[in-house]
Amino acid sequence: DGGITQSPKYLFRKEGQNVTLSCEQNLNHDAMYWYRQDPGQGLRLIYYSQIVNDFQKGDIAEGYSVSREKKESFPLTVTSAQKNPTAFYLCASSIGEPGELFFGEGSRLTVL
Amino acid sequence: GQNIDQPTEMTATEGAIVQINCTYQTSGFNGLFWYQQHAGEAPTFLSYNVLDGLEEKGRFSSFLSRSKGYSYLLLKELQMKDSASYLCAVLDSNYQLIWGAGTKLIIKP
């Protein structure tokens, strides 16, 4: 079955550590996105990529980094520079322009 | 600035009908989307409106008025499994999705 797989589902990190969240899709979608979801707020875009080897910053890119070396993969690194990283992170993909997004199951990061 | 407003929480009874409203102020408009998100899970796409009017899909319908910057999601014959958050999102003139904070719908027996 086609879909998006995120891992890990739960992750704990100590302050000062970098952590990488995995996102893999087999939908053959060109565009991929990373969102952050916090209670009481709408989804906020961290980074997006519309094609391999290219990506753009979203609204809250500071403290995060991504790569897009393969069409299927769009990993997100949460660096120690991110001041408030505890959140639910969602990866998504779309065929072309954003709108009808297909989401992974999410990764919940907690900083201890 | 860009803004999308939805009620924070609504309660309805199993078998009844509920309407979830969404108002928006965005720089341009290229469509409005509704997503359903169960607690702790990922959002799933429900509907898309780009022209004024009502789009029906089974028990769910979505309405759009571009002149009023207004949409609603109508859920009929409510079932317990409809308990979830419902997210409204607008595609602006730059083809960026602007998301509302979501409406938590609680269904009571």
Side-chain angles (χ1 to χ4, degrees):
Chain A
D1 287 331
I4 299 180
T5 302
Q6 285 186 242
S7 63
K9 191 166 186 178
Y10 298 96
L11 186 61
F12 298 89
R13 188 194 91 176
K14 293 182 180 180
E15 284 192 17
Q17 289 181 335
N18 294 352
V19 61
T20 297
L21 308 181
S22 170
C23 178
E24 303 280 332
Q25 57 103 352
N26 60 5
L27 299 168
N28 200 33
H29 286 171
D30 288 315
M32 297 187 74
Y33 311 83
W34 273 105
Y35 284 96
R36 171 180 171 141
Q37 188 173 36
D38 295 284
Q41 299 188 41
L43 297 182
R44 291 185 290 168
L45 183 64
I46 304 172
Y47 270 98
Y48 65 102
S49 168
Q50 293 179 313
I51 197 169
V52 175
N53 292 323
D54 188 42
F55 49 83
Q56 285 78 42
K57 293 181 179 180
D59 300 318
I60 56 165
E62 185 175 351
Y64 300 97
S65 66
V66 294
S67 63
R68 186 87 186 276
E69 298 176 1
K70 299 186 301 181
K71 187 175 186 178
E72 300 79 17
S73 180
F74 192 41
L76 173 74
T77 297
V78 184
T79 76
S80 57
Q82 170 48 236
K83 299 304 179 187
N84 185 22
T86 294
F88 189 49
Y89 291 89
L90 288 161
C91 179
S93 70
S94 66
I95 294 174
E97 296 291 351
E100 184 175 351
L101 300 179
F102 294 81
F103 285 89
E105 292 189 349
S107 294
R108 188 167 297 280
L109 172 63
T110 302
V111 174
L112 304 174
Chain B
Q2 307 203 87
N3 194 49
I4 296 184
D5 287 318
Q6 309 178 232
T8 302
E9 188 174 295
M10 299 181 70
T11 302
T13 304
E14 190 177 16
I17 299 173
V18 71
Q19 178 176 310
I20 302 174
N21 295 327
C22 170
T23 57
Y24 62 89
Q25 292 177 311
T26 57
S27 56
F29 179 86
N30 282 299
L32 185 143
F33 299 82
W34 284 96
Y35 283 80
Q36 180 190 59
Q37 185 178 25
H38 286 99
E41 298 182 9
T44 56
F45 170 79
L46 285 177
S47 68
Y48 168 63
N49 295 70
V50 67
L51 299 176
D52 290 351
L54 189 68
E55 294 281 342
E56 297 187 75
K57 192 184 291 186
R59 294 189 297 114
F60 292 7
S61 303
S62 55
F63 171 84
L64 174 67
S65 169
R66 287 172 297 171
S67 63
K68 295 182 179 179
Y70 168 69
S71 172
Y72 67 73
L73 181 69
L74 191 71
L75 291 72
K76 303 177 184 177
E77 302 170 12
L78 285 170
Q79 302 175 10
M80 298 303 292
K81 67 179 182 179
D82 297 330
S83 291
S85 289
Y86 293 85
L87 314 181
C88 174
V90 171
L91 200 58
D92 71 9
S93 57
N94 294 319
Y95 288 91
Q96 298 294 318
L97 270 176
I98 312 300
W99 294 82
T103 299
K104 182 179 181 180
L105 177 63
I106 300 168
I107 309 297
K108 295 186 175 180

